[in-house]
mmCIF file of all heavy atoms in Angstrom:
data_model
loop_
_atom_site.group_PDB
_atom_site.id
_atom_site.type_symbol
_atom_site.label_atom_id
_atom_site.label_comp_id
_atom_site.label_asym_id
_atom_site.label_seq_id
_atom_site.Cartn_x
_atom_site.Cartn_y
_atom_site.Cartn_z
ATOM 1 N N GLU T 643 17.505 22.336 -20.066
ATOM 2 C CA GLU T 643 16.711 22.562 -18.853
ATOM 3 C C GLU T 643 17.402 23.558 -17.930
ATOM 4 O O GLU T 643 18.609 23.488 -17.694
ATOM 5 C CB GLU T 643 16.501 21.243 -18.104
ATOM 6 C CG GLU T 643 15.633 21.379 -16.858
ATOM 7 C CD GLU T 643 15.492 20.065 -16.102
ATOM 8 O OE1 GLU T 643 16.537 19.508 -15.688
ATOM 9 O OE2 GLU T 643 14.356 19.605 -15.923
ATOM 10 N N ILE T 644 16.614 24.496 -17.419
ATOM 11 C CA ILE T 644 17.061 25.439 -16.398
ATOM 12 C C ILE T 644 16.530 24.973 -15.049
ATOM 13 O O ILE T 644 15.331 24.650 -14.923
ATOM 14 C CB ILE T 644 16.557 26.870 -16.684
ATOM 15 C CG1 ILE T 644 17.237 27.448 -17.915
ATOM 16 C CG2 ILE T 644 16.772 27.783 -15.486
ATOM 17 C CD1 ILE T 644 18.705 27.801 -17.709
ATOM 18 N N VAL T 645 17.383 24.935 -14.042
ATOM 19 C CA VAL T 645 16.971 24.537 -12.698
ATOM 20 C C VAL T 645 16.731 25.796 -11.869
ATOM 21 O O VAL T 645 17.602 26.658 -11.760
ATOM 22 C CB VAL T 645 18.035 23.653 -12.021
ATOM 23 C CG1 VAL T 645 17.616 23.324 -10.586
ATOM 24 C CG2 VAL T 645 18.241 22.372 -12.816
ATOM 25 N N ILE T 646 15.524 25.891 -11.307
ATOM 26 C CA ILE T 646 15.157 27.011 -10.450
ATOM 27 C C ILE T 646 15.267 26.564 -8.996
ATOM 28 O O ILE T 646 14.604 25.622 -8.569
ATOM 29 C CB ILE T 646 13.722 27.495 -10.734
ATOM 30 C CG1 ILE T 646 13.552 27.831 -12.222
ATOM 31 C CG2 ILE T 646 13.374 28.697 -9.859
ATOM 32 C CD1 ILE T 646 14.434 28.957 -12.708
ATOM 33 N N GLN T 647 16.119 27.230 -8.229
ATOM 34 C CA GLN T 647 16.324 26.906 -6.821
ATOM 35 C C GLN T 647 15.703 28.004 -5.974
ATOM 36 O O GLN T 647 16.108 29.168 -6.048
ATOM 37 C CB GLN T 647 17.818 26.782 -6.511
ATOM 38 C CG GLN T 647 18.132 26.343 -5.090
ATOM 39 C CD GLN T 647 17.874 24.859 -4.868
ATOM 40 O OE1 GLN T 647 18.118 24.054 -5.760
ATOM 41 N NE2 GLN T 647 17.379 24.502 -3.686
ATOM 42 N N ARG T 648 14.706 27.656 -5.173
ATOM 43 C CA ARG T 648 14.035 28.630 -4.330
ATOM 44 C C ARG T 648 14.750 28.764 -2.992
ATOM 45 O O ARG T 648 15.517 27.892 -2.582
ATOM 46 C CB ARG T 648 12.562 28.238 -4.119
ATOM 47 C CG ARG T 648 11.808 28.003 -5.419
ATOM 48 C CD ARG T 648 10.352 27.693 -5.183
ATOM 49 N NE ARG T 648 9.600 28.893 -4.842
ATOM 50 C CZ ARG T 648 8.323 28.883 -4.480
ATOM 51 N NH1 ARG T 648 7.673 27.733 -4.381
ATOM 52 N NH2 ARG T 648 7.695 30.008 -4.202
ATOM 53 N N THR T 649 14.473 29.854 -2.294
ATOM 54 C CA THR T 649 15.166 30.115 -1.022
ATOM 55 C C THR T 649 14.765 29.126 0.070
ATOM 56 O O THR T 649 15.494 28.962 1.054
ATOM 57 C CB THR T 649 14.878 31.543 -0.541
ATOM 58 O OG1 THR T 649 13.461 31.738 -0.461
ATOM 59 C CG2 THR T 649 15.467 32.571 -1.496
ATOM 60 N N ASN T 650 13.622 28.460 -0.069
ATOM 61 C CA ASN T 650 13.196 27.474 0.931
ATOM 62 C C ASN T 650 13.780 26.089 0.676
ATOM 63 O O ASN T 650 13.423 25.119 1.333
ATOM 64 C CB ASN T 650 11.671 27.393 0.983
ATOM 65 C CG ASN T 650 11.050 26.933 -0.339
ATOM 66 O OD1 ASN T 650 11.765 26.604 -1.291
ATOM 67 N ND2 ASN T 650 9.733 26.933 -0.391
ATOM 68 N N GLY T 651 14.685 26.009 -0.321
ATOM 69 C CA GLY T 651 15.337 24.748 -0.620
ATOM 70 C C GLY T 651 14.664 23.935 -1.711
ATOM 71 O O GLY T 651 15.257 22.982 -2.223
ATOM 72 N N GLN T 652 13.455 24.265 -2.080
ATOM 73 C CA GLN T 652 12.759 23.551 -3.139
ATOM 74 C C GLN T 652 13.322 23.947 -4.505
ATOM 75 O O GLN T 652 13.794 25.068 -4.680
ATOM 76 C CB GLN T 652 11.263 23.829 -3.089
ATOM 77 C CG GLN T 652 10.578 23.294 -1.838
ATOM 78 C CD GLN T 652 9.111 23.676 -1.794
ATOM 79 O OE1 GLN T 652 8.744 24.806 -2.077
ATOM 80 N NE2 GLN T 652 8.259 22.719 -1.442
ATOM 81 N N SER T 653 13.242 23.033 -5.455
ATOM 82 C CA SER T 653 13.734 23.319 -6.799
ATOM 83 C C SER T 653 12.866 22.607 -7.821
ATOM 84 O O SER T 653 12.152 21.647 -7.509
ATOM 85 C CB SER T 653 15.191 22.870 -6.961
ATOM 86 O OG SER T 653 15.297 21.462 -6.803
ATOM 87 N N TYR T 654 12.914 23.092 -9.037
ATOM 88 C CA TYR T 654 12.190 22.463 -10.131
ATOM 89 C C TYR T 654 12.875 22.835 -11.440
ATOM 90 O O TYR T 654 13.650 23.791 -11.514
ATOM 91 C CB TYR T 654 10.714 22.880 -10.151
ATOM 92 C CG TYR T 654 10.476 24.341 -10.423
ATOM 93 C CD1 TYR T 654 10.203 24.806 -11.718
ATOM 94 C CD2 TYR T 654 10.489 25.277 -9.393
ATOM 95 C CE1 TYR T 654 9.960 26.136 -11.969
ATOM 96 C CE2 TYR T 654 10.247 26.623 -9.637
ATOM 97 C CZ TYR T 654 9.982 27.045 -10.922
ATOM 98 O OH TYR T 654 9.753 28.373 -11.172
ATOM 99 N N GLY T 655 12.596 22.050 -12.482
ATOM 100 C CA GLY T 655 13.204 22.293 -13.779
ATOM 101 C C GLY T 655 12.251 22.968 -14.747
ATOM 102 O O GLY T 655 11.054 22.730 -14.712
ATOM 103 N N VAL T 656 12.793 23.826 -15.575
ATOM 104 C CA VAL T 656 12.033 24.490 -16.630
ATOM 105 C C VAL T 656 12.598 24.010 -17.960
ATOM 106 O O VAL T 656 13.771 24.248 -18.263
ATOM 107 C CB VAL T 656 12.125 26.023 -16.530
ATOM 108 C CG1 VAL T 656 11.376 26.675 -17.683
ATOM 109 C CG2 VAL T 656 11.582 26.500 -15.195
ATOM 110 N N GLY T 657 11.758 23.343 -18.747
ATOM 111 C CA GLY T 657 12.223 22.767 -19.997
ATOM 112 C C GLY T 657 11.897 23.617 -21.209
ATOM 113 O O GLY T 657 11.432 24.769 -21.092
ATOM 114 N N ALA T 658 12.115 23.051 -22.377
ATOM 115 C CA ALA T 658 11.925 23.772 -23.632
ATOM 116 C C ALA T 658 10.488 24.245 -23.780
ATOM 117 O O ALA T 658 9.535 23.522 -23.470
ATOM 118 C CB ALA T 658 12.306 22.872 -24.810
ATOM 119 N N GLY T 659 10.336 25.487 -24.237
ATOM 120 C CA GLY T 659 9.021 26.046 -24.477
ATOM 121 C C GLY T 659 8.389 26.715 -23.287
ATOM 122 O O GLY T 659 7.174 26.922 -23.264
ATOM 123 N N ASP T 660 9.177 27.091 -22.281
ATOM 124 C CA ASP T 660 8.619 27.781 -21.112
ATOM 125 C C ASP T 660 9.484 28.983 -20.768
ATOM 126 O O ASP T 660 10.631 29.102 -21.189
ATOM 127 C CB ASP T 660 8.535 26.848 -19.914
ATOM 128 C CG ASP T 660 7.503 27.312 -18.881
ATOM 129 O OD1 ASP T 660 6.965 28.431 -19.038
ATOM 130 O OD2 ASP T 660 7.246 26.564 -17.923
ATOM 131 N N PHE T 661 8.867 29.893 -19.990
ATOM 132 C CA PHE T 661 9.540 31.125 -19.592
ATOM 133 C C PHE T 661 10.403 30.911 -18.356
ATOM 134 O O PHE T 661 10.092 30.086 -17.490
ATOM 135 C CB PHE T 661 8.512 32.213 -19.268
ATOM 136 C CG PHE T 661 7.737 32.717 -20.451
ATOM 137 C CD1 PHE T 661 6.444 32.274 -20.688
ATOM 138 C CD2 PHE T 661 8.292 33.645 -21.325
ATOM 139 C CE1 PHE T 661 5.712 32.737 -21.773
ATOM 140 C CE2 PHE T 661 7.563 34.123 -22.412
ATOM 141 C CZ PHE T 661 6.276 33.659 -22.626
ATOM 142 N N VAL T 662 11.459 31.718 -18.255
ATOM 143 C CA VAL T 662 12.281 31.804 -17.056
ATOM 144 C C VAL T 662 12.397 33.281 -16.682
ATOM 145 O O VAL T 662 12.549 34.141 -17.559
ATOM 146 C CB VAL T 662 13.690 31.209 -17.277
ATOM 147 C CG1 VAL T 662 14.545 31.369 -16.019
ATOM 148 C CG2 VAL T 662 13.596 29.750 -17.679
ATOM 149 N N GLY T 663 12.310 33.564 -15.385
ATOM 150 C CA GLY T 663 12.399 34.947 -14.932
ATOM 151 C C GLY T 663 11.093 35.698 -15.029
ATOM 152 O O GLY T 663 11.085 36.937 -15.073
ATOM 153 N N LEU T 664 9.991 34.966 -15.006
ATOM 154 C CA LEU T 664 8.676 35.581 -15.243
ATOM 155 C C LEU T 664 8.258 36.502 -14.103
ATOM 156 O O LEU T 664 7.729 37.592 -14.333
ATOM 157 C CB LEU T 664 7.636 34.485 -15.453
ATOM 158 C CG LEU T 664 6.221 34.914 -15.828
ATOM 159 C CD1 LEU T 664 6.237 35.754 -17.092
ATOM 160 C CD2 LEU T 664 5.335 33.690 -16.017
ATOM 161 N N SER T 665 8.477 36.088 -12.854
ATOM 162 C CA SER T 665 8.013 36.894 -11.711
ATOM 163 C C SER T 665 8.650 38.279 -11.703
ATOM 164 O O SER T 665 7.959 39.296 -11.563
ATOM 165 C CB SER T 665 8.312 36.169 -10.397
ATOM 166 O OG SER T 665 7.602 34.955 -10.307
ATOM 167 N N SER T 666 9.945 38.347 -11.863
ATOM 168 C CA SER T 666 10.625 39.649 -11.857
ATOM 169 C C SER T 666 10.279 40.459 -13.090
ATOM 170 O O SER T 666 10.236 41.695 -13.054
ATOM 171 C CB SER T 666 12.139 39.453 -11.756
ATOM 172 O OG SER T 666 12.488 38.903 -10.500
ATOM 173 N N PHE T 667 10.008 39.781 -14.191
ATOM 174 C CA PHE T 667 9.571 40.478 -15.394
ATOM 175 C C PHE T 667 8.246 41.195 -15.151
ATOM 176 O O PHE T 667 8.030 42.308 -15.629
ATOM 177 C CB PHE T 667 9.432 39.475 -16.541
ATOM 178 C CG PHE T 667 8.810 40.035 -17.783
ATOM 179 C CD1 PHE T 667 9.538 40.820 -18.663
ATOM 180 C CD2 PHE T 667 7.474 39.782 -18.077
ATOM 181 C CE1 PHE T 667 8.960 41.340 -19.810
ATOM 182 C CE2 PHE T 667 6.890 40.286 -19.225
ATOM 183 C CZ PHE T 667 7.634 41.072 -20.092
ATOM 184 N N LEU T 668 7.361 40.569 -14.374
ATOM 185 C CA LEU T 668 6.045 41.142 -14.136
ATOM 186 C C LEU T 668 6.072 42.281 -13.126
ATOM 187 O O LEU T 668 5.333 43.258 -13.260
ATOM 188 C CB LEU T 668 5.069 40.052 -13.668
ATOM 189 C CG LEU T 668 4.728 38.973 -14.706
ATOM 190 C CD1 LEU T 668 3.898 37.870 -14.079
ATOM 191 C CD2 LEU T 668 4.003 39.581 -15.896
ATOM 192 N N ASP T 669 6.916 42.180 -12.087
ATOM 193 C CA ASP T 669 6.894 43.225 -11.045
ATOM 194 C C ASP T 669 8.194 44.019 -10.922
ATOM 195 O O ASP T 669 8.300 44.914 -10.089
ATOM 196 C CB ASP T 669 6.527 42.616 -9.690
ATOM 197 C CG ASP T 669 7.534 41.577 -9.193
ATOM 198 O OD1 ASP T 669 8.650 41.496 -9.751
ATOM 199 O OD2 ASP T 669 7.203 40.847 -8.245
ATOM 200 N N HIS T 670 9.210 43.679 -11.748
ATOM 201 C CA HIS T 670 10.485 44.400 -11.773
ATOM 202 C C HIS T 670 11.232 44.321 -10.443
ATOM 203 O O HIS T 670 12.130 45.121 -10.183
ATOM 204 C CB HIS T 670 10.280 45.873 -12.163
ATOM 205 C CG HIS T 670 9.839 46.057 -13.573
ATOM 206 N ND1 HIS T 670 9.640 47.288 -14.138
ATOM 207 C CD2 HIS T 670 9.542 45.146 -14.554
ATOM 208 C CE1 HIS T 670 9.240 47.151 -15.400
ATOM 209 N NE2 HIS T 670 9.180 45.858 -15.657
ATOM 210 N N ALA T 671 10.868 43.370 -9.613
ATOM 211 C CA ALA T 671 11.547 43.195 -8.326
ATOM 212 C C ALA T 671 12.802 42.339 -8.516
ATOM 213 O O ALA T 671 12.941 41.635 -9.529
ATOM 214 C CB ALA T 671 10.603 42.530 -7.334
ATOM 215 N N PRO T 672 13.727 42.382 -7.560
ATOM 216 C CA PRO T 672 14.894 41.497 -7.645
ATOM 217 C C PRO T 672 14.452 40.039 -7.705
ATOM 218 O O PRO T 672 13.356 39.678 -7.248
ATOM 219 C CB PRO T 672 15.652 41.796 -6.338
ATOM 220 C CG PRO T 672 15.250 43.191 -5.986
ATOM 221 C CD PRO T 672 13.818 43.311 -6.414
ATOM 222 N N TYR T 673 15.290 39.202 -8.271
ATOM 223 C CA TYR T 673 14.941 37.795 -8.429
ATOM 224 C C TYR T 673 14.804 37.123 -7.066
ATOM 225 O O TYR T 673 15.602 37.359 -6.155
ATOM 226 C CB TYR T 673 15.990 37.077 -9.273
ATOM 227 C CG TYR T 673 16.000 37.559 -10.711
ATOM 228 C CD1 TYR T 673 16.984 38.439 -11.163
ATOM 229 C CD2 TYR T 673 15.027 37.142 -11.602
ATOM 230 C CE1 TYR T 673 16.993 38.886 -12.472
ATOM 231 C CE2 TYR T 673 15.022 37.585 -12.914
ATOM 232 C CZ TYR T 673 16.016 38.471 -13.344
ATOM 233 O OH TYR T 673 15.994 38.912 -14.641
ATOM 234 N N SER T 674 13.770 36.300 -6.939
ATOM 235 C CA SER T 674 13.494 35.623 -5.670
ATOM 236 C C SER T 674 14.011 34.191 -5.659
ATOM 237 O O SER T 674 13.778 33.452 -4.699
ATOM 238 C CB SER T 674 11.982 35.621 -5.397
ATOM 239 O OG SER T 674 11.284 34.978 -6.450
ATOM 240 N N SER T 675 14.694 33.784 -6.717
ATOM 241 C CA SER T 675 15.248 32.441 -6.802
ATOM 242 C C SER T 675 16.512 32.484 -7.660
ATOM 243 O O SER T 675 16.847 33.514 -8.253
ATOM 244 C CB SER T 675 14.227 31.463 -7.388
ATOM 245 O OG SER T 675 13.801 31.915 -8.668
ATOM 246 N N THR T 676 17.194 31.360 -7.717
ATOM 247 C CA THR T 676 18.407 31.237 -8.523
ATOM 248 C C THR T 676 18.142 30.307 -9.699
ATOM 249 O O THR T 676 17.526 29.248 -9.532
ATOM 250 C CB THR T 676 19.566 30.684 -7.669
ATOM 251 O OG1 THR T 676 19.879 31.628 -6.641
ATOM 252 C CG2 THR T 676 20.804 30.448 -8.524
ATOM 253 N N ALA T 677 18.589 30.724 -10.889
ATOM 254 C CA ALA T 677 18.393 29.920 -12.099
ATOM 255 C C ALA T 677 19.750 29.530 -12.663
ATOM 256 O O ALA T 677 20.600 30.393 -12.920
ATOM 257 C CB ALA T 677 17.600 30.704 -13.141
ATOM 258 N N SER T 678 19.947 28.245 -12.865
ATOM 259 C CA SER T 678 21.209 27.758 -13.423
ATOM 260 C C SER T 678 20.927 26.666 -14.439
ATOM 261 O O SER T 678 19.847 26.058 -14.450
ATOM 262 C CB SER T 678 22.122 27.227 -12.317
ATOM 263 O OG SER T 678 21.505 26.152 -11.623
ATOM 264 N N SER T 679 21.897 26.412 -15.298
ATOM 265 C CA SER T 679 21.700 25.444 -16.376
ATOM 266 C C SER T 679 22.027 24.030 -15.913
ATOM 267 O O SER T 679 22.949 23.810 -15.134
ATOM 268 C CB SER T 679 22.583 25.804 -17.576
ATOM 269 O OG SER T 679 23.951 25.835 -17.190
ATOM 270 N N HIS T 680 21.233 23.091 -16.400
ATOM 271 C CA HIS T 680 21.504 21.663 -16.184
ATOM 272 C C HIS T 680 21.939 21.102 -17.522
ATOM 273 O O HIS T 680 21.128 20.814 -18.398
ATOM 274 C CB HIS T 680 20.248 20.965 -15.668
ATOM 275 C CG HIS T 680 20.433 19.485 -15.464
ATOM 276 N ND1 HIS T 680 21.298 18.972 -14.520
ATOM 277 C CD2 HIS T 680 19.865 18.414 -16.078
ATOM 278 C CE1 HIS T 680 21.256 17.667 -14.553
ATOM 279 N NE2 HIS T 680 20.400 17.294 -15.504
#
Side-chain angles (χ1 to χ4, degrees):
E643 182 182 59
I644 291 289
V645 177
I646 305 298
Q647 184 75 37
R648 306 183 76 186
T649 55
N650 62 4
Q652 295 176 316
S653 63
Y654 65 95
V656 177
D660 202 352
F661 292 101
V662 178
L664 185 57
S665 296
S666 293
F667 172 78
L668 293 173
D669 62 14
H670 292 182
Y673 293 103
S674 58
S675 57
T676 296
S678 60
S679 58
H680 178 65

